[in-house]
Amino acid sequence: MRTVEQAEQLYRQGIAENSAGRPVRALRFLHRALRELADHPASEFDASDILRPRVELAIATAESELNGLNRGLRALAPVADYVAQAQDDRVRVLLQLHLGYMQVRGGNFRLGMEHLDAAVSLIEHADARSACNILLNRGMLRVYLGDLATAGADYRRAVEMAQENELLVEEVKARHNLGEVEFYAGNLALALRLMDEAASLQAEVSPAVALVDRAKVLLGAGLYRDADEALLQAGELFRANRLWKDVGEVELARAQCALLDGEIAAARRLAGSARDRFRRRGNVRWRRDAELVLLQADLAGGRPGARLAHPARRLAAEFSGEGLTARARSAGLIAVEATLASGQSALAEELAASIGPIRRDDSIAFRVHARLVRAKVNLATGRPADGRREIRAGLVELARHQAQFGSVDLQTAGAVHGRQLAELDLGLALRAGRPNGVLAAVERSRATSSRLPSVVAPRDEQVAALLAELRQVSEEVRATESDAAAVRLGSARRRRMAELQQQLRSRAWSAEGSRQAARVANFEETVAAACDRGASYLCYLEVAGRLHALVLGPTGNGVHDLGPAAPMKELVLRVRADLDVLARGQLPTVLRAAVTGSLRRSLQGLETGLITPLGLSPNRLVIAPSGVLATLPWGMLPALAGCPVTVTPSATAWVQASRAEDRTGPLRVTAFAGPDLAFAASEVAAIERIWGYGDAADRSPRPLARRADFDDAVTGNDLVHIAAHGEHQAENPLFSAIRLADGPVYAYELDSSRPVAGHVVLSSCELGQATVRPGDEALGLTSVLLRLGTRSVISGVARVNDQLASEVMIRYHRELAAGRDSAEALATACAGELGGDDGDPSNLPAPFVCFGASWSAAM
């Protein structure tokens, strides 16, 4: 009895290790269990004792994971012999379960389904844990085959059975897998929520599998870099446990991340490694998946279509033969594109028709790709109107996809899936050369998130605790930045900061959105709005590496080709670098002169490239930039000195903001200061006096603002002025922050549940900066304020000298109080030539920009 009990304990430890994704450790326990049972051969087993075959089944599963399907099947032979001899249905059902699992993992789906269906027919003979695993594995296979409804039914039945029998591991797996079903159904926010809920139960399951599944959802949402980081972690865990088939799956998923990132060479390398890994294991099914991604990379890399069309058609046929319809259709799309590229448009049209209609449950990546391919086929076969309709339909579907998220992070990330479709749309419009067509094409794909309802930051105890720790750690990092002895400690704290930011971001990802996107502004509305304000609307766009400008307004409409985009991008980066250096003040005379000269040359180069070719004599400009141009201090260009300039993400965003309802009741103004700014207190006092809120005789120091003051001010006033240090985080833009007396306020935590101030002035460094994603989706503190409903934000796009910021802001408020709107007031406050080389802060440049739409106190 003691031997059997020890064997039972070792068996359970082995099962736990297998379940947690550690087959090497599992085998150690399982082989020890077999040795304990060495005196009990299978042929002499009592009818009530099936421990030995259970141990052998677990060994076979671990062997198949480590060494491939054939090794696992050989290890099953003793159990198969026992079943044939004993006719024991309790073991027979387990044998069918393990055969099904191993065949599915080996890529033999039909055989796997036969065994799993047989196991279900015998499920009454299985113990509760094994019954749950039968349902889990059949559900997994049904997901692979695209049968989501029946997969969900299997998983829900497994959840109920696990709860009834208090089987936490099996319950967590089933709940997690229900999230995977929602992912394949296109409900990505719900998928993340279900996976998070499963993870919160904290069962001993494989963390690597959870990371891979979560990465797939993030990839579908467009967060390919976050997905790649999760996959890297999963790959390390799989390698540590010698799970080479899973390592291949990770490589394949990382290849897809690289494709979205435009890293074609990396995608080919990763997919090629996965293909070779699957080939060595004899896994034909997953080898074909790798070949599919390789074909995608070859096509994106410009390999001749004539070489790719036949392999793609072969793969489509092979997938179809296995019942893998979704993969067959994806291979079919590649075959169509390759055939088109080889000049066979009639054959491409025939192949496209054979793929069938786009379905509601197709992934967003497939739907957008299908629309792109259809549009190309229509264009190649002389049906441009049909091609344009496909493009418009694809971009509408993409906007709806972005609208499913209640997280601004995911709303902005999703645009990456439409990059090629948007470029084709813009290219067609530019070739036609009609301003109305160009505007329509731009608005269909640009800053879609600005057309979605604003999102509410997550509010719960865990978020509050994470934010509190993040504030504490970030303040510790700031306090030790100048301490050389604290470098190692600072590095650890920065790692912790990154971990906390990631946890907070992921808390928001599972929020669901409205699934509704507002319509885009049309040509007539945009022109009318520009003319009403005496402004020229100026939109920059980049297509195939060339920069173009669309000009609309009182002086006429037109489209201009401005040449290569790269030189302009380089000049913008130089301008920002020079401004950051000059903002430090007290530079040696020679260095200050060199940097000032560099800045002047860069600004002149930008004016020559961006403004001069347009032939404008602007009284007022509304600019919708593209990419890094969004962070250019436009008012510093010599030709625009004194010209009111407003920067907006899109015509739609500007028209919507310009239509904001006028204020009712008296004007509510507040100004406050953050810590460590020598001129902030006097700046705030002067602004209070300008607006009639301050006592000229009162010279008492103002208390430094705290986070609660910021929240009350932004949601309880019409005009808010904040004189405080700020920082834009390029890698994690939602954690760009304003530093107040009790710690930073992050863009992440700004709340849309209450109305926000119509005008916010950030007298801070670089809070006008933004991280720009595909689709000109900008993320930063200023962009978040605009999405929450603020009509106009004044902020800096580079570092600003503290004394200069104070002087410019006081001038700005004087102009604003005198009746000028925000764009006019800023232009006047910053007017003048770039100063001399005497080191006087008054002569330094002021890189402030008016974002959103213009605002005035009279509104």
Side-chain angles (χ1 to χ4, degrees):
M1 177 62 72
R2 186 177 60 81
T3 296
V4 173
E5 288 176 352
Q6 286 180 342
E8 176 75 25
Q9 183 178 359
L10 290 165
Y11 164 71
R12 295 193 180 283
Q13 288 176 294
I15 287 293
E17 294 294 341
N18 257 344
S19 182
R22 298 187 288 265
V24 174
R25 294 176 63 178
L27 283 173
R28 294 181 191 137
F29 289 110
L30 294 168
H31 282 301
R32 285 174 60 193
L34 269 189
R35 288 194 293 272
E36 293 290 339
L37 296 170
D39 296 331
H40 298 272
S43 60
E44 298 176 4
F45 260 66
D46 182 81
S48 64
D49 184 3
I50 58 170
L51 179 56
R52 184 185 182 95
R54 293 173 76 95
V55 172
E56 289 172 332
L57 286 167
I59 287 173
T61 298
E63 287 285 1
S64 71
E65 291 296 295
L66 291 169
N67 301 305
L69 175 60
N70 290 334
R71 183 75 166 266
L73 293 175
R74 287 197 297 272
L76 279 180
V79 183
D81 291 342
Y82 170 76
V83 169
Q85 176 183 340
Q87 295 296 308
D88 189 337
D89 284 339
R90 294 173 305 161
V91 181
R92 190 188 308 276
V93 66
L94 299 178
L95 177 61
Q96 294 296 335
L97 164 60
H98 285 260
L99 280 168
Y101 174 79
M102 287 192 289
Q103 291 289 359
V104 171
R105 291 282 288 172
N108 302 321
F109 286 0
R110 287 181 176 172
L111 273 174
M113 184 61 81
E114 289 176 11
H115 289 298
L116 290 170
D117 282 342
V120 171
S121 71
L122 295 164
I123 201 167
E124 65 195 61
H125 301 290
D127 62 276
R129 177 170 280 108
S130 298
C132 285
N133 282 312
I134 290 169
L135 295 170
L136 286 170
N137 283 285
R138 191 172 71 167
M140 174 182 67
L141 179 51
R142 284 173 160 174
V143 167
Y144 287 155
L145 296 173
D147 190 356
L148 300 182
T150 54
D154 277 347
Y155 290 148
R156 284 187 290 274
R157 187 178 167 193
V159 169
E160 293 172 3
M161 193 176 294
Q163 288 176 329
E164 289 171 3
N165 293 277
E166 298 183 351
L167 300 172
L168 182 60
V169 167
E170 284 68 28
E171 180 186 351
V172 166
K173 288 181 177 180
R175 289 186 177 280
H176 175 89
N177 290 357
L178 282 169
E180 191 178 24
V181 169
E182 294 299 335
F183 162 60
Y184 284 107
N187 303 317
L188 275 61
L190 178 56
L192 287 167
R193 179 165 64 80
L194 292 173
M195 289 179 179
D196 285 345
E197 289 173 356
S200 70
L201 297 177
Q202 298 183 332
E204 183 69 12
V205 297
S206 169
V209 170
L211 283 167
V212 169
D213 289 343
R214 187 177 181 82
K216 290 176 183 176
V217 184
L218 296 179
L219 183 59
L223 287 172
Y224 50 87
R225 289 178 182 163
D226 293 279
D228 193 58
E229 288 178 10
L231 289 166
L232 277 170
Q233 294 177 49
E236 290 173 2
L237 292 171
F238 286 138
R239 281 187 173 86
N241 290 294
R242 294 169 51 192
L243 292 167
W244 305 117
K245 185 262 184 186
D246 295 290
V247 170
E249 285 195 61
V250 164
E251 290 173 332
L252 199 51
R254 291 194 63 215
Q256 293 171 312
C257 294
L259 277 176
L260 270 188
D261 201 14
E263 298 291 337
I264 308 302
R268 291 200 80 261
R269 175 177 52 78
L270 287 163
S273 177
R275 176 200 57 194
D276 295 343
R277 197 179 297 280
F278 296 139
R279 181 184 286 156
R280 287 193 298 270
R281 292 176 65 89
N283 196 322
V284 176
R285 158 71 184 78
W286 265 273
R287 189 208 72 209
R288 288 174 181 150
D289 271 2
E291 289 175 352
L292 180 61
V293 177
L294 267 174
L295 283 173
Q296 290 175 310
D298 285 340
L299 194 62
R303 191 176 178 190
R307 296 185 180 181
L308 303 177
H310 177 72
R313 292 171 67 180
R314 173 185 55 79
L315 267 184
E318 291 173 353
F319 281 131
S320 183
E322 294 179 45
L324 301 174
T325 306
R327 284 173 172 79
R329 295 167 74 217
S330 292
L333 289 177
I334 295 172
V336 174
E337 282 197 280
T339 304
L340 268 181
S342 67
Q344 302 177 74
S345 55
L347 177 57
E349 184 177 17
E350 180 183 333
L351 292 172
S354 70
I355 294 172
I358 296 171
R359 304 167 186 170
R360 290 182 62 185
D361 59 352
D362 286 328
S363 71
I364 187 61
F366 179 87
R367 278 181 279 158
V368 172
H369 189 197
R371 295 291 184 188
L372 175 70
V373 170
R374 287 181 174 189
K376 288 181 176 180
V377 168
N378 285 325
L379 293 169
T381 54
R383 300 194 305 278
D386 291 340
R388 288 191 291 272
R389 273 193 292 272
E390 292 287 354
I391 292 170
R392 288 194 292 271
L395 292 172
V396 167
E397 288 175 337
L398 181 60
R400 287 177 183 156
H401 165 79
Q402 292 174 262
Q404 76 170 280
F405 301 112
S407 154
V408 68
D409 205 359
L410 293 185
Q411 285 179 353
T412 56
V416 70
H417 292 297
R419 188 162 43 192
Q420 291 185 66
L421 199 62
E423 183 149 328
L424 178 60
D425 194 16
L426 289 169
L428 291 172
L430 287 169
R431 283 196 290 275
R434 294 191 296 273
N436 58 342
V438 173
L439 179 69
V442 170
E443 293 303 301
R444 278 192 285 267
S445 61
R446 176 171 287 188
T448 299
S449 63
S450 66
R451 298 194 278 121
L452 308 179
S454 58
V455 300
V456 178
R459 302 276 178 179
D460 59 41
E461 291 183 3
Q462 185 173 357
V463 166
L466 290 170
L467 282 169
E469 184 181 355
L470 177 61
R471 273 188 262 272
Q472 178 183 347
V473 174
S474 63
E475 287 299 289
E476 289 171 353
V477 167
R478 186 185 63 80
T480 58
E481 281 179 342
S482 59
D483 184 356
V487 170
R488 182 173 299 177
L489 182 60
S491 297
R493 285 170 175 159
R494 287 188 181 88
R495 284 194 298 273
R496 182 56 183 158
M497 279 179 60
E499 291 170 0
L500 291 166
Q501 289 170 355
Q502 187 62 26
Q503 290 179 50
L504 284 162
R505 287 176 68 209
S506 67
R507 294 284 296 177
W509 289 340
S510 59
E512 295 187 58
S514 68
R515 297 183 180 269
Q516 298 295 322
R519 69 173 184 85
V520 299
N522 62 35
F523 180 76
E524 290 74 17
E525 289 173 311
T526 306
V527 171
C531 291
D532 287 348
R533 291 158 181 76
S536 292
Y537 178 81
L538 178 53
C539 173
Y540 291 93
L541 55 145
E542 182 183 344
V543 176
R546 294 188 70 80
L547 201 61
H548 303 263
L550 168 68
V551 181
L552 308 176
T555 60
N557 310 316
V559 182
H560 304 261
D561 185 342
L562 302 179
M568 295 298 102
K569 293 178 182 179
E570 178 62 30
L571 287 174
V572 172
L573 297 178
R574 288 184 191 176
V575 164
R576 280 165 39 190
D578 289 341
L579 287 170
D580 287 347
V581 172
L582 290 173
R584 298 171 188 167
Q586 299 181 345
L587 296 174
T589 302
V590 174
L591 177 58
R592 186 170 59 247
V595 175
T596 302
S598 170
L599 178 60
R600 286 197 182 102
R601 290 190 296 274
S602 296
L603 291 170
Q604 186 60 60
L606 286 164
E607 177 181 312
T608 301
L610 300 175
I611 301 297
T612 304
L614 308 182
L616 295 174
S617 298
N619 294 318
R620 179 184 288 268
L621 284 180
V622 177
I623 300 177
S626 177
V628 297
L629 296 183
T631 56
L632 174 64
W634 291 89
M636 291 181 62
L637 300 184
L640 301 185
C643 173
V645 176
T646 302
V647 174
T648 182
S650 67
T652 301
W654 177 62
V655 170
Q656 286 176 342
S658 298
R659 288 174 176 166
E661 293 183 6
D662 291 343
R663 183 187 66 258
T664 58
L667 180 69
R668 297 166 300 172
V669 180
T670 189
F672 55 80
D676 302 327
L677 279 174
F679 302 93
S682 59
E683 178 182 332
V684 168
I687 290 167
E688 288 178 342
R689 290 193 292 273
I690 289 169
W691 291 104
Y693 288 84
D695 182 351
D698 182 7
R699 292 293 183 265
S700 62
R702 270 62 172 174
L704 295 177
R706 303 174 70 83
R707 299 193 315 275
D709 300 326
F710 174 87
D711 187 56
D712 291 342
V714 169
T715 58
N717 291 275
D718 303 299
L719 167 59
V720 177
H721 180 97
I722 306 160
H725 283 298
E727 180 183 13
H728 174 72
Q729 285 210 14
E731 292 302 316
N732 258 330
L734 288 177
F735 293 93
S736 300
I738 302 168
R739 188 159 65 84
L740 301 177
D742 55 348
V745 172
Y746 300 106
Y748 171 90
E749 59 186 310
L750 298 183
D751 188 5
S752 69
S753 61
R754 291 185 286 172
V756 292
H759 187 36
V760 176
V761 182
L762 302 174
S763 179
S764 315
C765 291
E766 66 183 42
L767 287 182
Q769 283 289 330
T771 298
V772 182
R773 290 172 166 173
D776 285 310
E777 294 282 10
L779 266 185
L781 194 137
T782 290
S783 68
V784 169
L785 280 170
L786 293 173
R787 282 195 183 89
L788 295 181
T790 298
R791 179 174 180 144
S792 175
V793 178
I794 301 293
S795 53
V797 294
R799 295 189 181 278
V800 188
N801 177 272
D802 293 347
Q803 181 179 341
L804 173 68
S806 177
E807 293 173 358
V808 168
M809 287 296 105
I810 293 170
R811 293 199 298 268
Y812 171 74
H813 279 275
R814 288 195 185 111
E815 298 296 330
L816 203 61
R820 297 183 185 273
D821 67 36
S822 53
E824 294 172 320
L826 185 65
T828 302
C830 296
E833 294 293 325
L834 182 60
D837 301 331
D838 57 2
D840 183 349
S842 300
N843 290 328
L844 292 173
F848 289 105
V849 174
C850 178
F851 290 98
S854 56
W855 177 93
S856 75
M859 288 179 172

